[in-house]
Amino acid sequence: MNAPADPAPSAAHPAPRPASARPPLGSRTVLAAAHVVADPRADTTPDGPAAVDWDATLAFRHHLWSHGLGVAEAMDTAQRGAGLDWGAAAELIRRSAAEARAVGGLLACGVGTDQLPPHSASLADVRGAYEEQLGLVEDAGARPVLMASRRLAAAATGPEDYQELYGHLLRQAARPVILHWLGPMFDPALAGYWGSADPDAATETLLAIIAGHPAKVDGVKVSLLDAGREVRLRRRLPGTVRCYTGDDFHYPELIAGDDHGFSDALLGIFDPLAPSAAEAVRLLDAGDTAGFRAVLDPTVALSRHLFQAPTRHYKTGIVLLAWLAGHQSHFTMVGGLQSARSLPHLRRAHELADGLGLFPDPELAAHRMRTLLAVYGAEDA
């Protein structure tokens, strides 16, 4: 069936903001954590190697760069450790780095330990895995993001293990890195990260690591969905260390900031919100905080919907919106995770995104949503 033609914009379907090559943003460093596009023709299984459509995946990175955003690659949004295996992640990093060099795009890449088996890794194994991935990202010319590690969370016996291991990695890092605090709402295996289930104690350990190596830390990416805690941490960071918000519930207020500072951004929600996010930060660049909030505040309802519990399945809604927006030709995910959200949840995501004018072709988006519901006999979902 042919997709319907693009109708004239209306009040119900606001005119989308056109993509165009724009210079980088000025007042904030903004990284959109980008999803991967699966290859729907691959004969694989949910627990098999990831099959990636490289052309569509890299084209989406160019879409983000075209708006002046940076790309956070091979992170949680790319289904790292949830369908995207290390072999595919390594290839993704190499390919994205080459594309970033070609266009001068900002790129940060996840460094983890997911090449290790799921169980029984020692601290020495964890360190070796981090070192291997750090070397690959540095060789590619990208900024490393030292991702929170499930293997480290399982092997560490207390905060001293985190301090020793991160200190070792920071001493050998060739350039400043971004540290990564991903809360258990995003990954239950990361409960008790930094050596304590008490977030205040965990904060002290993280700050001690940074204080020992401030010149090697570009920033800290905080994904705890707790705006107050992020602000308190932000105010205690050395002046040269950024706080990258990963809070997909409170990002407008955290990026706007207060009299004591602001957060930069490394956000999964900026994957579908790229044009709006870029427009909003350009308003901040011009000193228009009220205009920034006017653009981004209405998007929070969509973000809260996509990231509702179980939060780790937000990627399903992200990929749905990319398909509805025409950035890919199908709704298939690595690991088969297109099934991780209910049809009513996905339908509501479409409604909220449509109300924000996020779809370049609203009729195509509606057609695809109806088709998806019809396949499952859920037109009334």
Side-chain angles (χ1 to χ4, degrees):
M1 181 182 297
N2 293 328
D6 188 5
S10 67
H13 297 107
R17 303 172 182 93
S20 59
R22 304 290 300 277
L25 305 174
S27 60
R28 305 290 188 271
T29 299
V30 180
L31 297 161
H35 74 283
V36 293
V37 183
D39 181 354
R41 299 165 295 276
D43 185 8
T44 187
T45 62
D47 56 354
V52 177
D53 181 334
W54 294 112
D55 289 343
T57 294
L58 295 173
F60 190 78
R61 275 82 185 137
H62 283 280
H63 158 70
L64 297 173
W65 286 319
S66 76
H67 289 284
L69 302 180
V71 171
E73 187 59 277
M75 300 286 292
D76 185 57
T77 305
Q79 296 180 245
R80 190 75 179 269
L84 190 75
D85 56 281
W86 167 236
E91 182 66 12
L92 179 62
I93 290 167
R94 286 189 286 262
R95 288 177 181 247
S96 290
E99 298 297 319
R101 287 192 298 271
V103 299
L106 178 61
L107 182 71
C109 294
V111 170
T113 62
D114 46 330
Q115 71 269 54
L116 294 174
H119 306 291
S120 302
S122 67
L123 288 172
D125 294 332
V126 171
R127 187 174 76 178
Y130 266 131
E131 288 173 338
E132 176 189 356
Q133 296 197 19
L134 178 60
L136 185 148
V137 170
E138 289 186 331
D139 288 347
R143 183 173 300 281
V145 182
L146 294 186
M147 299 176 67
S149 164
R150 296 174 182 171
R151 297 354 179 239
L152 177 54
T157 59
E160 297 80 8
D161 288 335
Y162 288 87
Q163 290 176 309
E164 193 283 329
L165 191 147
Y166 275 92
H168 175 84
L169 295 172
L170 290 172
R171 283 190 294 273
Q172 66 175 285
R175 61 180 299 184
V177 309
I178 300 172
L179 301 180
H180 180 237
W181 189 357
L182 193 69
M185 67 289 295
F186 288 93
D187 187 343
L190 298 176
Y193 212 74
W194 308 115
S196 177
D198 176 1
D200 290 333
T203 297
E204 296 304 321
T205 300
L206 173 61
L207 288 169
I209 292 169
I210 296 169
H213 311 273
K216 289 295 186 76
V217 180
D218 168 72
V220 182
K221 192 256 191 182
V222 185
S223 295
L224 301 177
L225 303 184
D226 184 334
R229 182 167 298 282
E230 178 175 323
V231 170
R232 291 191 295 274
L233 171 62
R234 185 175 78 195
R235 291 178 180 175
R236 296 181 63 190
L237 292 173
T240 57
V241 176
R242 303 176 190 273
C243 181
Y244 290 92
T245 188
D247 188 328
D248 301 278
F249 285 2
H250 307 100
Y251 51 95
E253 65 197 71
L254 289 165
I255 297 170
D258 55 31
D259 292 340
H260 303 283
F262 58 82
S263 294
D264 295 283
L266 196 168
L267 284 163
I269 191 57
F270 282 1
D271 177 303
L273 292 183
S276 297
E279 177 187 346
V281 176
R282 290 187 198 284
L283 290 169
L284 272 186
D285 291 350
D288 186 359
T289 302
F292 166 85
R293 295 296 299 265
V295 172
L296 273 199
D297 282 358
T299 69
V300 172
L302 171 64
S303 190
R304 285 179 173 266
H305 177 74
L306 295 180
F307 285 79
Q308 68 182 228
T311 303
R312 65 186 181 277
H313 292 316
Y314 75 88
K315 281 84 76 174
T316 302
I318 296 288
V319 174
L320 173 85
L321 296 183
W323 174 54
L324 297 181
H327 293 297
Q328 57 193 79
S329 62
H330 58 84
F331 179 44
T332 305
M333 298 174 65
V334 296
L337 286 183
Q338 66 271 13
S339 64
R341 290 294 200 188
S342 70
L343 291 170
H345 176 94
L346 299 178
R347 183 171 186 172
R348 180 58 178 158
H350 166 249
E351 292 171 349
L352 289 168
D354 187 49
L356 292 169
L358 295 186
F359 300 127
D361 185 339
E363 293 305 320
L364 173 64
H367 167 77
R368 288 183 166 182
M369 193 70 230
R370 288 193 301 268
T371 300
L372 176 65
L373 295 171
V375 166
Y376 291 97
E379 294 91 336
D380 297 326

